[in-house]
Amino acid sequence: MPPGAASGARPGAQSGAQPGVQPGVPEPANPRRAEILGAAAELFARRGYHGASIGDLGRAVGLTGPALYRHFSGKDAVLAEMLLDISERLRAEGVRRAAAPDAAQALDSLLRGHIAFALDNPALITIHERELDNVPEPERHRIRRLQRAYVEEWVAVLRRLRPGTPDDRTRAAVHACFGLLNSTPRSAAGLDRSAMGDLLHAMARSALDAAL
C-alpha cells in the first residue's frame, strides 16, 4: 500500500477485520492464516512490531506460541506476508478498476476502492507507515515493486484524462492523493463511514482536478 498515516483508533473501523478485506477485493485463500494476519495487524498497530510477541499473537487467535510456528516461521514472516498480501491484492484490484473503458469512470472506481480500503484498514496503514523497515529485504523489495505498479495504474488513468500533463507531475499528484486518503487513522473520527467516504472522495477528486 502506498505510504500511510499515523496510528489511532476511530469510530467505524472494523476491529479485528482481516487485513485488506473490502468490497471488490478478493479475500485471502487461507482463512486461518488470514485470521492470524488480522490479529497481528491489530496487535502491531496498537503495540508496535517490537512490542508484540509471538506468544501475544498466538493468544489472540487461541494458539500457543509454538503452535503458531506451524503457520508462520516467525514474527517477521507474519509482518512480511501481511504487507505483501494487501499490496498484491490492491495492485490486482487497481488493474481491474483502471480497465474501465471510460477514464472518468475508472478514476472514480479507483478512488472508491482505495477509500474503502483506507476506511476499513487503519491498522494496516499504520503498520505500513511505521514498520515497513522491519520487513526482510527481499519481501520489502517486492512490496515496493507492487506499490509502484499500483501507482502506475492511477497514472495511466490520469494520463487518459489529462494527456498533456507530464507523468512526473501526475505521479506526484497520485502520491499526494494517497497521503490524503490514507489519513483515516487520524482523520476519520466524528463522521460515520459513509459520510467520511464521501468527504474523502470529494477532497481527493478536487485535489487531482486542481493539480492536473
Side-chain angles (χ1 to χ4, degrees), residues 13-196:
Q14 291 183 345
S15 177
Q18 293 176 0
V21 174
Q22 72 229 36
V25 176
E27 295 189 12
N30 186 316
R32 186 55 163 163
R33 288 175 75 88
E35 179 187 9
I36 295 168
L37 292 174
E42 296 298 324
L43 276 173
F44 293 169
R46 187 169 64 250
R47 300 186 189 179
Y49 173 75
H50 294 295
S53 69
I54 281 288
D56 295 330
L57 180 52
R59 284 188 289 275
V61 293
L63 296 172
T64 64
L68 198 62
Y69 287 111
R70 293 200 297 269
H71 299 276
F72 293 94
S73 61
K75 196 169 64 168
D76 59 343
V78 175
L79 179 63
E81 182 162 331
M82 181 191 304
L83 295 183
L84 269 172
D85 174 71
I86 188 54
S87 296
E88 288 168 347
R89 290 189 289 125
L90 271 176
R91 197 264 170 160
E93 185 64 8
V95 170
R96 186 185 73 80
R97 290 173 180 270
D102 179 75
Q105 179 185 356
L107 178 59
D108 181 74
S109 183
L110 285 169
L111 283 166
R112 294 193 183 281
H114 196 98
I115 288 166
F117 160 74
L119 289 172
D120 291 343
N121 297 279
L124 281 174
I125 292 173
T126 297
I127 292 164
H128 178 275
E129 175 72 12
R130 198 170 62 196
E131 310 292 0
L132 183 60
D133 286 347
N134 288 310
V135 175
E137 193 280 330
E139 290 84 359
R140 187 166 67 248
H141 178 73
R142 288 173 57 198
I143 290 165
R144 292 197 182 281
R145 187 174 68 245
L146 288 162
Q147 291 168 352
R148 287 193 296 269
Y150 178 59
V151 168
E152 292 308 308
E153 294 298 329
W154 287 66
V155 170
V157 168
L158 288 166
R159 189 184 295 128
R160 290 159 58 194
L161 278 173
R162 302 287 189 274
T165 306
D167 281 357
D168 286 350
R169 183 178 178 87
T170 301
R171 199 168 287 111
V174 170
H175 281 289
C177 179
F178 288 158
L180 168 64
L181 299 181
N182 291 348
S183 70
T184 51
R186 62 171 180 263
S187 68
L191 291 179
D192 64 29
R193 188 185 187 283
S194 177
M196 190 64 199

